[in-house]
Amino acid sequence: MTVGTSSFPGSRTRFGDPALLLDDIEDFPDVQFVFAHGGRGWWYDTAAFLALSKPNVWLDLAGLPPKKLPEYYSRFGLPRLATKWIFGTDWPGVPGASRNVAALRELGLPADTVRAVLSGNAAKISPGLGV
């Protein structure tokens, strides 16, 4: 589900608050919640807090430039938060997936964390993917 601000025609930013999902997150602990765009805008902190505090919340990085992630999540330990990231390309809206993979690797995260972000976390929450 998309959380955060959006400027696309027809989008309603007021519904992008990840905190609105808290009851569902807690009532359905076996359901994995993936926040597309990682809480974009003024909800990065809320999305990051929920990802770190709830085992069934994940942050999708689609549409987010990896080099900006340290800025977006500056209030959180990036290596710890990265364990809750899932790489997404946002294709075809955002071209250059290979550049984003390279930029993600340049963040200085442990190699096993980068592998988890690129495929392992997605496989963990969706075992049928066969990644």
Side-chain angles (χ1 to χ4, degrees):
M1 64 203 50
T2 300
V3 297
T5 60
S6 183
S7 59
F8 293 106
S11 64
R12 298 286 183 242
T13 296
R14 67 187 163 128
F15 297 123
D17 183 353
L20 295 173
L21 297 166
L22 192 51
D23 286 342
D24 296 323
I25 290 165
E26 292 176 347
D27 290 347
F28 300 97
D30 293 331
V31 173
Q32 301 301 312
F33 291 82
V34 180
F35 292 170
H37 310 298
R40 181 181 286 148
W42 54 82
W43 286 310
Y44 283 124
D45 283 358
T46 304
F49 176 82
L50 290 173
L52 289 173
S53 63
K54 304 295 180 186
N56 60 334
V57 174
W58 302 83
L59 302 178
D60 167 51
L61 302 180
L64 302 179
K67 67 181 178 181
K68 301 284 268 178
L69 295 173
E71 175 187 330
Y72 296 161
Y73 298 113
S74 64
R75 294 168 33 101
F76 300 87
L78 206 61
R80 181 172 168 231
L81 183 60
T83 65
K84 298 300 295 264
W85 288 346
I86 296 174
F87 182 78
T89 65
D90 215 10
W91 183 89
V94 178
S98 60
R99 284 192 312 266
N100 282 346
V101 169
L104 183 69
R105 288 187 170 127
E106 291 172 10
L107 291 178
L109 299 168
D112 60 329
T113 300
V114 173
R115 275 191 303 278
V117 172
L118 294 176
S119 64
N121 290 342
K124 188 184 305 182
I125 67 167
S126 299
L129 290 176
V131 210

